[in-house]
Amino acid sequence: MAQQESGAVLQFAPFQSSVDEGFWHRLSSLKLNKLGIDDSPISITGFYAPCSHSQVSNHLTLLAESLPPEPSEQSSTQSISRGNRNRCSVPGILYNTNTLESFHALDKQSLLKAEAEKLIVLKGALKVHLGSRHNHCLVVAPHLQRHVPYCKDIWNDIHSGKAEEDSSVLSRFLLISFADLKKWSFHYWFAFPALVLDPPATLVDLKPASRWFSLEEAESLSAACNEWRNSSSTADVPFFLVNIAPNSHATIKHVKDWEACQEDGHKLLFGFYDPCHLPKNPGWPLRNFLLLIYSRWNMKKVKFLCYRESRGFADLGLSLVGEAQILAPQEWRDEQHVPNAVGWELNRGKKVYRCISLAKSMDPTRLAVSAADLNLKLMRWRALPSLNLNILSTRKCLLLGAGTLGCQVARMLMAWGVRKITLLDNGKVAMSNPLRQSLYTLDNCLNGGEFKALAAVNSLKQIFPAVEAEGVVMAIPMPGHPVSSQEVESVLDDCRRLCELIESHDAVFLLTDTRESRWLPTLLCANTNKLTITAALGFDSFLVMRHGAGPFSSTTDNGAEAMNALSADMSKFSLTDRDGGQRLGCYFCNDVVAPVDSTSNRTLDQQCTVTRPGLAPIASALAVELLVGILHHPHGIYAEGEIANSSSNRINEQPLGILPHQIRGSLAQFSQMILVGHSSNSCTACCDTVVSEFRKRGMDFILQAINHPTYLEDLTGLTELMKSASSFNLDWDNESDAEDNVDDCVEI
């Protein structure tokens, strides 16, 4: 094995870095979910081990666990475990810039030198604790010069004795980076700060350890090193002392035990885990180790052991023993003197940063999820810090109707981060659909057309593969559409299936194109107290509204116990919600007639939903925004209907703005109104009478409502109300003045 020439300048093999893909994924998540635009330095941990192959050096590696845990992981994630022989922990600092321009603007060529020069004017700030990472800086940009320079940490730790207690601080590193989360590319540059010996250390001798020790010493040292490496308390301690007694017995000691090792006749070597494999050069960690030895103990000649392994055991043939001579000037003993620093890692021999792109190596679905979540998470950085993305991604939404409204609502829900969507429809895609119904193409119309619910689900998965979408082909039983005896079982099965679907979802959108098709879902949602959103279209007008809480606001149990409670305490059925406020109405609360057949005996323009093309996207967007507002409101489904510019709204203003009850818009006037309507005790869908009757009779009640058009009106008292209205005669007094008119007004 070749030997370095005696008296030559001691040259060190630079540290090499390696970053696991998991580190970048973790950094991206941390940036989006916690850091936002905060560019403060972050404490990280790197790992390395002694060289274990004669042809390959070990790298300082960053893993996913090198970064601090996210807030959601604080309780379950423990600190990095110690005692792993293959992972010596090294403290580091990460500075992640917000823009690529900021990254390029850093003065990387003279960074370490400039920071060392700034230290000359700093007095008395030597005892810097290792944990005070937030006071350190990585760049020389003007807005960052307020931080304590990083290379001073090593110098301080040497003079304060910190490096003797925790020798890993001698190998501190820093990393500057820019994470492009749109392209999944990462620009980065490592630095392994090393303080410069001036004049440089010279090499007195360097040879394989097996040629430096006697056979007895080598055997004893190998056994001592293996014991040191196999102990959980010392396996990852990278700097140590080797003490060889006159009887050739070797012991390994901590660096802090230097005083105890000063015995006559003993050989003392300073050992370190050497990641380098080169036969003529010690590894980078020795640079700062020599500085510690000279500064603390004024040793001008130092014998060192570059410890290397083979197959997990000490390999003295691969390890090196050398002797270095240090001729540093006397001012180095002064704590206020700070040497210059070097250490930027070279990229293929050049002083340039590195760039890695993970887009090609990532699963397309994972890329789609990251890209879809990006805008939502960016909203939390500045505009909406309180935005709860988890409450959106975990909600299951049921869309009744997969037509013009259903297609738009499904896409809007995905844009807001909703991942669980079920579409219900029994129609097929017609040639006239694709232009207005955004989830369909011409291919869906061929051969008689595909079922809309199934075609819509396939389209959603093509747009966003991670969506959990399901299509249900089923008709909704409707009042005014009588069923024959042969169809009863099929209709009842549809009713039961609809009950199960509503029960298993968190929010229901009523997006069908007839009034009567909304009745049964409205009843079932009132019964189970589900979040319900209705969107309905006219030719140039629309209605978007949220249904109020059902009359049973405390329970949805349909069992015998609930039936007994119902009979015993009818006071639970009321026009008030659980907070004592008046319940908001549903889609049917303002009607004075029951829903009936609206599709029979209609002309072509009456059979189709003829609307202005821009109407559906507007209504769909408002419907989804209404759901997001409900989910973020502290009172949820029980929230009162709010109107813009009211004084109460300013007091209780929510991050997403007001939460209206009804939004009625007109394209003809390019106008929009916000209204509030309370529940009616004669509503054919959500009043206590109807809901209680459904709970008592179940499917028999639904069949009677379907087959007998006037049943609901008779049950709710609408029939009597209409009779009373017909027989009520208003006696107009044209001669009465305005004041009398005010007093005589009648509220109906």
Side-chain angles (χ1 to χ4, degrees):
M1 183 180 292
Q3 182 173 325
Q4 243 189 34
E5 183 181 349
S6 176
V9 172
L10 180 57
Q11 296 180 337
F12 308 89
F15 237 136
Q16 300 179 57
S17 65
S18 174
V19 186
D20 184 77
E21 182 179 315
F23 176 85
W24 299 122
H25 288 295
R26 186 67 175 271
L27 175 60
S28 302
S29 177
L30 197 66
K31 175 73 174 174
L32 288 172
N33 299 324
K34 180 181 179 182
L35 301 178
I37 58 174
D38 182 4
D39 58 2
S40 301
I42 306 169
S43 296
I44 58 176
T45 304
F47 305 97
Y48 83 99
C51 172
S52 57
H53 194 282
S54 62
Q55 301 297 321
V56 181
S57 296
N58 275 342
H59 294 55
L60 183 132
T61 304
L62 296 185
L63 306 173
E65 61 194 87
S66 296
L67 287 161
E70 295 185 42
S72 60
E73 303 170 329
Q74 293 284 1
S75 58
S76 59
T77 304
Q78 298 180 352
S79 60
I80 296 174
S81 59
R82 303 301 300 264
N84 188 333
R85 59 176 289 121
N86 297 316
R87 295 200 329 188
C88 300
S89 300
V90 180
I93 290 290
L94 165 68
Y95 182 83
N96 187 57
T97 61
N98 283 314
T99 66
L100 182 59
E101 290 76 13
S102 298
F103 179 83
H104 286 308
L106 303 178
D107 189 359
K108 304 175 185 68
Q109 293 289 343
S110 58
L111 173 60
L112 295 181
K113 180 180 178 181
E115 296 214 344
E117 291 173 351
K118 288 190 297 181
L119 297 173
I120 298 175
V121 300
L122 297 178
K123 307 291 184 182
L126 295 174
K127 304 269 180 153
V128 179
H129 191 274
L130 177 63
S132 302
R133 301 286 186 209
H134 59 280
N135 290 327
H136 308 327
C137 176
L138 311 178
V139 296
V140 294
H143 70 288
L144 296 169
Q145 290 181 359
R146 64 185 182 274
H147 296 290
V148 177
Y150 190 67
C151 59
K152 180 144 189 180
D153 290 345
I154 298 173
W155 190 242
N156 287 341
D157 288 338
I158 287 175
H159 281 283
S160 68
K162 178 69 177 179
E164 298 171 48
E165 295 293 332
D166 181 8
S167 58
S168 66
V169 300
L170 294 174
S171 299
R172 274 202 185 109
F173 69 96
L174 60 88
L175 171 64
I176 58 175
S177 66
F178 166 68
D180 188 338
L181 302 185
K182 285 189 174 181
K183 299 179 180 178
W184 275 93
S185 62
F186 302 87
H187 300 69
Y188 66 99
W189 202 346
F190 276 88
F192 303 98
L195 301 173
V196 178
L197 291 166
D198 185 19
T202 56
L203 186 65
V204 177
D205 189 17
L206 182 68
K207 64 179 67 174
S210 58
R211 293 172 50 188
W212 200 87
F213 297 106
S214 68
L215 181 61
E216 294 79 7
E217 290 173 341
E219 290 180 353
S220 179
L221 177 59
S222 295
C225 288
N226 291 332
E227 182 181 358
W228 178 270
R229 291 282 287 152
N230 289 326
S231 172
S232 60
S233 62
T234 58
D236 59 351
V237 177
F239 298 91
F240 52 90
L241 300 176
V242 177
N243 189 4
I244 300 178
N247 62 359
S248 300
H249 177 70
T251 56
I252 307 294
K253 300 288 186 180
H254 287 278
V255 174
K256 64 182 179 180
D257 297 329
W258 181 82
E259 297 285 351
C261 295
Q262 304 305 304
E263 300 181 55
D264 293 337
H266 287 241
K267 295 179 181 179
L268 181 64
L269 293 89
F270 292 85
F272 70 99
Y273 294 166
D274 190 356
C276 174
H277 77 283
L278 299 177
K280 296 183 180 181
N281 302 90
W284 197 257
L286 180 59
R287 294 194 67 142
N288 290 330
F289 197 20
L290 289 177
L291 192 68
L292 168 69
I293 296 168
Y294 175 79
S295 300
R296 294 294 290 172
W297 302 300
N298 197 26
M299 296 182 64
K300 295 180 174 60
K301 280 194 174 182
V302 179
K303 293 184 176 66
F304 57 86
L305 168 66
C306 305
Y307 176 78
R308 302 171 182 177
E309 294 182 337
S310 177
R311 298 181 180 179
F313 296 96
D315 187 338
L316 297 189
L318 186 59
S319 299
L320 302 177
V321 171
E323 184 175 359
Q325 184 168 357
I326 305 173
L327 299 174
Q330 186 62 33
E331 59 264 23
W332 273 52
R333 300 297 309 240
D334 184 2
E335 292 180 348
Q336 298 184 13
H337 170 78
V338 181
N340 291 329
V342 295
W344 285 109
E345 184 180 20
L346 300 181
N347 182 10
R348 298 178 181 178
K350 298 180 180 180
K351 291 184 178 181
V352 294
Y353 62 86
R354 303 185 182 194
C355 182
I356 182 174
S357 176
L358 302 184
K360 294 182 179 179
S361 64
M362 291 181 64
D363 177 68
T365 300
R366 186 173 180 179
L367 275 174
V369 172
S370 299
D373 289 344
L374 181 61
N375 282 338
L376 293 173
K377 291 182 177 180
L378 293 181
M379 290 168 63
R380 297 193 305 188
W381 286 15
R382 296 179 190 267
L384 289 172
S386 61
L387 182 64
N388 189 339
L389 297 181
N390 185 60
I391 201 173
L392 294 168
S393 63
T394 58
R395 288 299 179 269
K396 298 178 65 177
C397 293
L398 174 63
L399 279 55
L400 302 182
T404 308
L405 288 168
C407 291
Q408 294 287 350
V409 167
R411 298 196 67 155
M412 292 290 178
L413 287 172
M414 289 200 305
W416 261 112
V418 176
R419 299 291 178 258
K420 301 174 182 179
I421 300 173
T422 302
L423 293 107
L424 183 149
D425 201 302
N426 72 327
K428 293 186 176 183
V429 184
M431 287 290 183
S432 61
N433 293 151
L435 289 176
R436 297 187 181 216
Q437 301 178 13
S438 59
L439 294 180
Y440 309 126
T441 65
L442 179 63
D443 291 341
N444 301 125
C445 308
L446 304 179
N447 302 317
E450 300 177 28
F451 283 107
K452 286 185 175 182
L454 304 181
V457 166
N458 292 333
S459 181
L460 290 177
K461 291 182 178 179
Q462 289 179 0
I463 295 169
F464 185 61
V467 68
E468 299 177 32
E470 178 185 359
V472 178
V473 179
M474 192 190 85
I476 299 176
M478 300 177 285
H481 294 255
V483 296
S484 63
S485 57
Q486 293 83 2
E487 299 174 316
V488 169
E489 285 304 318
S490 176
V491 170
L492 291 179
D493 287 342
D494 289 341
C495 292
R496 296 187 188 97
R497 180 73 189 282
L498 185 60
C499 286
E500 294 171 356
L501 287 170
I502 290 176
E503 202 49 79
S504 61
H505 286 75
D506 302 300
V508 181
F509 286 84
L510 307 187
L511 310 171
T512 55
D513 52 8
T514 64
R515 177 169 169 265
E516 61 268 28
S517 60
R518 303 168 191 263
W519 175 80
L520 182 56
T522 300
L523 168 63
L524 298 178
C525 289
N527 178 57
T528 54
N529 206 39
K530 293 290 180 179
L531 291 176
T532 311
I533 308 290
T534 284
L537 305 178
F539 168 68
D540 58 6
S541 61
F542 65 85
L543 165 68
V544 176
M545 66 177 296
R546 58 185 175 101
H547 294 201
F552 292 98
S553 60
S554 60
T555 178
T556 58
D557 184 12
N558 290 328
E561 182 177 347
M563 294 301 181
N564 294 335
L566 173 68
S567 302
D569 187 10
M570 290 299 291
S571 63
K572 290 183 180 179
F573 299 94
S574 66
L575 300 180
T576 60
D577 60 23
R578 67 177 182 181
D579 297 325
Q582 191 169 4
R583 288 197 300 117
L584 296 177
C586 74
Y587 179 70
F588 294 93
C589 278
N590 290 333
D591 292 346
V592 292
V593 293
V596 294
D597 184 1
S598 64
T599 59
S600 300
N601 194 25
R602 295 292 190 269
T603 61
L604 181 60
D605 64 315
Q606 294 172 328
Q607 295 174 24
C608 300
T609 305
V610 180
T611 66
R612 291 172 61 165
L615 206 62
I618 297 173
S620 301
L622 290 173
V624 174
E625 294 292 331
L626 203 55
L627 173 68
V628 176
I630 297 172
L631 294 176
H632 282 81
H633 197 284
H635 297 151
I637 193 175
Y638 302 99
E640 296 180 356
E642 298 172 342
I643 299 176
N645 301 324
S646 68
S647 58
S648 60
N649 293 337
R650 287 192 292 269
I651 296 174
N652 302 312
E653 187 174 353
Q654 300 300 318
L656 289 172
I658 69 168
L659 184 61
H661 175 222
Q662 299 181 26
I663 307 167
R664 295 179 181 266
S666 169
L667 278 183
Q669 302 293 329
F670 281 92
S671 64
Q672 191 169 284
M673 294 188 299
I674 297 178
L675 305 174
V676 176
H678 294 104
S679 58
S680 168
N681 58 5
S682 298
C683 177
T684 57
C686 78
C687 73
D688 53 5
T689 304
V690 171
V691 176
S692 61
E693 194 69 17
F694 166 69
R695 290 199 167 191
K696 289 178 182 178
R697 298 178 55 203
M699 294 302 153
D700 290 339
F701 166 75
I702 294 177
L703 275 179
Q704 188 170 358
I706 291 173
N707 290 325
H708 298 85
T710 63
Y711 170 66
L712 290 174
E713 295 177 359
D714 296 339
L715 177 66
T716 58
L718 286 177
T719 302
E720 291 299 321
L721 179 64
M722 295 303 294
K723 288 180 180 179
S724 299
S726 298
S727 61
F728 185 71
N729 293 320
L730 290 176
D731 185 13
W732 298 100
D733 184 0
N734 294 328
E735 297 181 357
S736 59
D737 56 21
E739 293 181 358
D740 293 337
N741 286 338
V742 172
D743 295 335
D744 295 339
C745 282
V746 178
E747 180 178 346
I748 301 178

